[in-house]
Amino acid sequence: LLNIILVQMNIRGIKKIGSACLRKKASAVKPHEFKHVEILSVFDRMLTIAQENGEVVAGLAAPQIGVSKKIVLFGDPERNIAPTFLVNPEIEPILQHEKIMMIEACLSIPDYMGMVERYNNILVHYQNENGEYKKLGASGFTAGLLQHEVDHLDGILFVDRLHSIEKFYHEETFSELYDTDETIRKVYDNLEHSKIKFYD
């Protein structure tokens, strides 16, 4: 998990902060578009990036590759979560008063990270890459990750949700603080508690 947070590579094809496409609201994938070559090619590109950079890419949103469509890809080999597409995802917070602090990083903002407050338990309604309606429940790190990726579809970056500007770090500073700052270690340790359940 720490590798995912710390190792922010300049992956080819990823749009960086300042790109207009990262600030646009993405449009939904319509029923007739699921078999269009353009959308199939988006699925392929996102999956290729994730597979080639598996230690770094826990999640990826279509706007990050310059496509303003509501498509998210996530996966976590450490938790045996295979790469999964969420198309037109909608997040429903469970127990809205229960929130956690996340240490977040983003491929579109390389070398930086910050603390963001997220819902601890969520339900996600989505379509898979075949257009079938599905839902999943997530908590902890996975819940925060999915909220981060779905934010991309609304033109929101994690820096817009920073707990405070004092909690925004360069990765070198964060590495030093992790060894000395008990608050940061506590937040990180809490992220180890993560669950996900897929519903039929």
Side-chain angles (χ1 to χ4, degrees):
L1 179 57
L2 191 58
N3 285 341
I4 292 173
I5 294 172
L6 286 177
V7 184
Q8 293 299 296
M9 300 168 61
N10 283 303
I11 296 175
R12 189 163 57 104
I14 296 292
K15 299 296 181 182
K16 303 299 189 294
I17 188 169
S19 296
C21 60
L22 292 176
R23 290 305 192 176
K24 287 176 62 178
K25 283 201 169 188
S27 59
V29 177
K30 297 175 182 177
H32 67 275
E33 292 182 308
F34 278 87
K35 297 302 180 184
H36 278 195
V37 64
E38 292 89 352
I39 296 299
L40 294 175
S41 121
V42 174
F43 291 150
D44 285 345
R45 284 168 60 195
M46 293 177 72
L47 191 57
T48 297
I49 289 172
Q51 289 174 337
E52 289 179 349
N53 303 277
E55 292 186 1
V56 180
V57 180
L60 185 66
Q64 291 182 278
I65 62 168
V67 177
S68 191
K69 283 290 186 182
K70 289 188 173 182
I71 304 172
V72 162
L73 176 66
F74 84 102
D76 187 349
E78 289 185 9
R79 295 179 173 85
N80 296 315
I81 303 172
T84 302
F85 282 103
L86 310 180
V87 183
N88 303 329
E90 299 279 345
I91 287 180
E92 176 186 345
I94 307 297
L95 301 174
Q96 295 196 20
H97 64 283
E98 277 194 13
K99 296 187 177 181
I100 57 168
M101 293 301 297
M102 293 279 295
I103 299 168
E104 298 196 7
C106 183
L107 297 172
S108 295
I109 312 175
D111 304 326
Y112 287 89
M113 57 206 64
M115 286 195 187
V116 178
E117 190 175 63
R118 298 287 188 183
Y119 293 111
N120 190 37
N121 297 278
I122 61 171
L123 191 64
V124 185
H125 303 267
Y126 66 99
Q127 292 168 269
N128 64 16
E129 61 269 40
N130 298 315
E132 299 167 329
Y133 287 90
K134 303 284 185 178
K135 64 180 178 179
L136 65 83
S139 65
F141 172 76
T142 304
L145 167 68
L146 293 175
Q147 290 168 78
H148 174 114
E149 298 306 333
V150 172
D151 267 354
H152 275 298
L153 307 183
D154 290 322
I156 298 170
L157 302 175
F158 84 86
V159 290
D160 303 321
R161 297 193 184 276
L162 285 174
H163 187 249
S164 72
I165 193 62
E166 288 79 18
K167 302 300 183 182
F168 185 52
Y169 313 103
H170 188 274
E171 66 172 25
E172 291 180 5
T173 306
F174 181 85
S175 296
E176 296 167 2
L177 288 174
Y178 180 79
D179 293 329
T180 59
D181 191 315
E182 186 177 343
T183 302
I184 287 180
R185 284 201 307 277
K186 184 177 179 181
V187 170
Y188 173 75
D189 290 343
N190 286 340
L191 298 183
E192 290 295 321
H193 304 288
S194 179
K195 293 180 181 178
I196 187 165
K197 181 177 180 180
F198 292 90
Y199 298 92
D200 292 332

